[in-house]
Amino acid sequence: FKKVAPIAQASLSAVAGIEQTMGLPGKLMLTVSRGSLSATTDIAVYEFPNTVLPTQRGSDKEIAGSVVDLSPSGLTFAIPVSIQLRFDATDVNGFDYFVHTWDTDSRDWAAVRGSTYNTTTFTAYAELRHFSYYTVVKTRRAVSAPAPDDDSSSGLSIGGIIGVSVAGTVAVIALVGIPLLVVYLRRKRRMGPFGEQFNLEHRSRKHKQGVAMLG
């Protein structure tokens, strides 16, 4: 951390159990919720130029506003406090502007989970569990995968659709045709090999022969 004098600062004696707001006009607003603190605590906000904690060399990150030091550093909260930070944006298309905190292990800026931003008011928002250094960082938005072609979006190719249609037709024919075939074969078995007319004549002769024998 480069030892430089803060650009601006503000302080507040935050009383436990009371929601209070403090900040730097046009730069930052900090809201301490009821229940965030268990005891009255003196807190302070210091604004520094963005050069005090630069991003790593070669990084695609770009600081888009002032760096603020929320003090006392390391102070934690039972209920998160909320912060609003103004940022500078010359290009909002294809970029994100999230609140970041300084990570002492990687010595780089890390995005605060759940951060959001508004490109109309050029304000970024976040809920904080502890005090540290914070700023808004400009990062290139991840490019989403292209949408699939219309022919493949349905999951079936033209050949697949034809195959499904043919298979369905065959299934219908089999469903209707098999019972008809069974009826036909049963009827044919009753008719005999020479057809219905032969069966009638054959039964007639058998009947006459039986009558003659009885006579």
Side-chain angles (χ1 to χ4, degrees):
F1 183 86
K2 297 179 179 179
K3 298 295 183 181
V4 296
I7 300 173
Q9 64 186 63
S11 60
L12 171 70
S13 182
V15 179
I18 299 177
E19 181 173 295
Q20 295 173 276
T21 300
M22 64 173 296
L24 301 172
K27 294 289 186 179
L28 168 150
M29 185 168 71
L30 180 71
T31 301
V32 180
S33 303
R34 296 179 58 183
S36 294
L37 297 169
S38 59
T40 300
T41 306
D42 293 331
I43 59 178
V45 176
Y46 303 95
E47 180 190 7
F48 294 95
N50 58 22
T51 55
V52 295
L53 289 172
T55 59
Q56 288 187 344
R57 183 174 299 176
S59 171
D60 61 350
K61 300 174 183 177
E62 179 182 337
I63 297 178
S66 300
V67 172
V68 295
D69 174 17
L70 303 183
S71 179
S73 181
L75 177 66
T76 59
F77 305 97
I79 297 176
V81 299
S82 62
I83 189 173
Q84 300 180 29
L85 284 171
R86 293 292 301 273
F87 60 86
D88 303 320
T90 57
D91 186 4
V92 296
N93 295 322
F95 294 94
D96 288 319
Y97 294 85
F98 294 122
V99 176
H100 282 56
T101 185
W102 182 253
D103 186 340
T104 55
D105 293 330
S106 64
R107 299 197 62 77
D108 197 6
W109 292 101
V112 176
R113 182 177 300 178
S115 174
T116 59
Y117 62 91
N118 186 315
T119 54
T120 301
T121 60
F122 299 104
T123 306
Y125 309 88
E127 291 190 339
L128 313 180
R129 287 283 183 181
H130 63 89
F131 273 176
S132 181
Y133 294 100
Y134 293 92
T135 191
V136 177
V137 174
K138 172 185 176 182
T139 56
R140 186 172 296 278
R141 188 175 305 137
V143 179
S144 58
D149 294 335
D150 293 340
D151 291 341
S152 61
S153 61
S154 63
L156 287 175
S157 63
I158 295 177
I161 294 173
I162 295 174
V164 171
S165 300
V166 172
T169 304
V170 172
V172 171
I173 292 174
L175 183 63
V176 176
I178 290 175
L180 293 176
L181 179 61
V182 171
V183 172
Y184 170 76
L185 291 176
R186 288 178 177 174
R187 184 177 180 186
K188 187 173 180 64
R189 188 182 300 115
R190 291 196 300 268
M191 290 169 58
F194 299 103
E196 185 175 0
Q197 185 63 34
F198 176 83
N199 269 359
L200 291 173
E201 293 175 356
H202 180 67
R203 286 197 296 270
S204 178
R205 287 197 299 271
K206 295 281 288 185
H207 177 70
K208 289 178 180 179
Q209 292 173 0
V211 171
M213 291 176 63
L214 291 173

